[in-house]
Amino acid sequence: MDLEPSAQSRGERLISRIAAWPRNPLQDADALLAHLLGNVAGILEAPRVLLAWEETDEPWLYLAQRSGDGVERWREAPSEGDGEPLEESLRRRFAIEGAASWPVQGEIVQGRLFVADRRNLDGDHLVLGEIAAQRVAAELDQYYLTRRLRTAA
């Protein structure tokens, strides 16, 4: 497939962002979330990133939001079934309008990754978002698995 030089260069730049994602496991939850959401924000050029996830066998909904250089996080009881889908509830709660989202599906975690306040995402960004969501799931799985092993030891 022949790409124009500018398209090829852009595609290479986008792929190099994923390839450059640091591979150093972090065991501090705050540092891990800052690392994950910072990488997603950089790769997708997003001013705001929201991650919502649950750990299997745990009743909590975890939320982490990166805006600017800071990360805030929350742990909440699951909703009591008010009938509104979680994704819509989060969009309303965090005033997310121009957004894309991807499933975060690991063996230990299940959730959703949102990129907010980023309009005009193209096909390349959507593919990168899917790859980034898979990386987030893998690193969260590794974090929880390591924590479980340390607790059991």
Side-chain angles (χ1 to χ4, degrees):
M1 171 165 91
D2 289 334
L3 295 175
E4 294 177 27
S6 62
Q8 188 174 14
S9 299
R10 180 177 176 271
E12 289 172 356
R13 280 194 318 271
L14 292 173
I15 289 176
S16 71
R17 290 179 188 171
I18 286 287
W21 187 310
R23 289 168 176 78
N24 51 341
L26 300 169
Q27 292 309 311
D28 173 70
D30 290 325
L32 176 63
L33 290 169
H35 161 78
L36 293 174
L37 299 182
N39 279 305
V40 171
I43 289 165
L44 296 174
E45 303 166 326
R48 197 160 50 119
V49 178
L50 174 66
L51 176 61
W53 77 99
E54 295 174 320
E55 179 186 357
T56 56
D57 303 328
E58 293 293 328
W60 304 105
L61 172 65
Y62 297 93
L63 301 164
Q65 176 180 241
R66 180 190 187 276
S67 56
D69 290 330
V71 173
E72 297 177 86
R73 68 181 185 133
W74 303 266
R75 183 180 81 168
E76 302 177 351
S79 72
E80 295 298 320
D82 59 1
E84 182 177 35
L86 177 62
E87 186 170 345
E88 290 305 314
S89 172
L90 293 173
R91 285 181 188 273
R92 190 181 71 254
R93 177 177 170 187
F94 289 95
I96 299 172
E97 290 183 18
S101 71
W102 300 269
V104 173
Q105 297 178 325
E107 293 191 26
I108 298 173
V109 298
Q110 301 291 316
R112 197 121 193 118
L113 177 66
F114 297 86
V115 168
D117 308 332
R118 171 70 165 85
R119 299 203 186 276
N120 303 322
L121 289 171
D122 61 23
D124 290 339
H125 286 101
L126 296 176
V127 170
L128 285 175
E130 187 174 330
I131 295 168
Q134 291 170 0
R135 285 292 308 268
V136 167
E139 290 196 36
L140 284 173
D141 272 354
Q142 181 178 8
Y143 168 79
Y144 283 114
L145 181 59
T146 301
R147 193 174 78 177
R148 287 178 182 180
L149 290 171
R150 284 186 177 156
T151 301

